[in-house]
Amino acid sequence: MTDQAWMPRSRTSLTLPRWVIVLIVICCLIEGALALCDLTGTGFPVRMQGFGGLTYYVTLPVRQAVFAVLGFWSPQFHALHGVYPGQPALMFFSYGLLHSGLAHLGMNMLSLAAVGRELHRLIGARRMAVVYLVSQIAAALLFAVMKPDAGPMVGASGAIFGLAGALVAHAAVAGYRRQRPLGQLIRAVTILVVLNIVLTVAMPAIAWEAHLGGALAGLLMGVFTGIRATPRH
């Protein structure tokens, strides 16, 4: 049986799946449009009612409006209703397309490209897509459980941590079953944990709960794919 998990890298194996490229383009287009709206001060007029029935209008920035509609809100998940029908379900998928700024977007997209190339080489595009989607849902679920009153939560980092967890677990299982040394994998796990801690301390607004949820889901799926891909030696 061909030992695919430990084959030398080829140019084809290190390419990104098409769905990842499409995802990166969509995220960049969305953030680019929101950043342009931020620069131009574009917003939506919202009707408000004050004391004595006085009606007035305020301008709601486009970014805030989009986050309100497509970001992940824990209270709406627990209440099972939102500002429009189906929002409690849709937001599990839409929040990962949004980012809080160009720096947030850049960090996530570079991480997605780097981790995605390696995981694609090991498990292929379809399984990687499943890992990404399940990790994004798991990230939001754990965030909702641990922070029931929080929101909006945006960003692809929960799903990306899932890919990283799957990469580490798959390679660890494959290495163990082939009796390979695991020193590099232990260092990789340590770096992943330390990075999450550093980001949480440096940027308190980061939803570390989502990172944890995505990483745990990815680790579990990585164990499964690692076992399926490698016979015990």
Side-chain angles (χ1 to χ4, degrees):
M1 181 175 179
T2 303
D3 191 352
Q4 294 181 351
W6 296 91
M7 288 175 60
R9 299 178 184 180
S10 67
R11 182 178 300 178
T12 301
S13 68
L14 289 179
T15 58
L16 284 173
R18 291 182 180 178
W19 70 263
V20 174
I21 297 174
V22 171
L23 178 63
I24 290 175
V25 170
I26 291 174
C27 289
C28 289
L29 289 176
I30 292 175
E31 180 54 37
L34 293 179
L36 182 61
C37 290
D38 291 342
L39 288 174
T40 58
T42 306
F44 298 104
V46 178
R47 184 177 178 180
M48 306 290 289
Q49 189 168 7
F51 293 105
L54 178 65
T55 300
Y56 61 97
Y57 288 86
V58 297
T59 300
L60 180 66
V62 170
R63 185 181 293 274
Q64 290 186 21
V66 172
F67 283 10
V69 174
L70 299 178
F72 186 88
W73 296 82
S74 295
Q76 293 177 1
F77 167 75
H78 291 289
L80 297 180
H81 65 78
V83 297
Y84 60 89
Q87 184 180 10
L90 177 63
M91 64 185 182
F92 276 95
F93 306 96
S94 59
Y95 85 90
L97 301 175
L98 307 175
H99 292 83
S100 59
L102 293 175
H104 187 201
L105 172 74
M107 179 177 65
N108 277 350
M109 295 303 99
L110 288 174
S111 300
L112 174 57
V115 176
R117 284 191 181 95
E118 295 296 331
L119 190 58
H120 179 215
R121 178 175 64 87
L122 295 178
I123 68 174
R126 292 184 179 180
R127 287 184 178 180
M128 180 175 155
V130 172
V131 171
Y132 189 93
L133 182 60
V134 172
S135 296
Q136 179 165 305
I137 294 173
L141 280 174
L142 189 59
F143 177 81
V145 170
M146 298 185 70
K147 285 195 170 182
D149 300 319
M153 187 261 292
V154 298
S157 54
I160 296 170
F161 266 84
L163 295 183
L167 174 62
V168 169
H170 181 102
V173 170
Y176 175 76
R177 291 169 72 86
R178 290 182 171 86
Q179 299 179 355
R180 301 295 180 94
L182 300 180
Q184 290 183 347
L185 293 171
I186 294 174
R187 288 193 292 271
V189 173
T190 302
I191 291 173
L192 189 65
V193 172
V194 171
L195 177 61
N196 199 16
I197 294 174
V198 170
L199 288 175
T200 302
V201 173
M203 304 175 65
I206 284 183
W208 64 268
E209 300 87 354
H211 293 180
L212 179 61
L216 290 176
L219 285 169
L220 290 174
M221 288 183 285
V223 170
F224 175 76
T225 60
I227 292 174
R228 298 232 349 167
T230 56
R232 180 182 291 276
H233 282 190

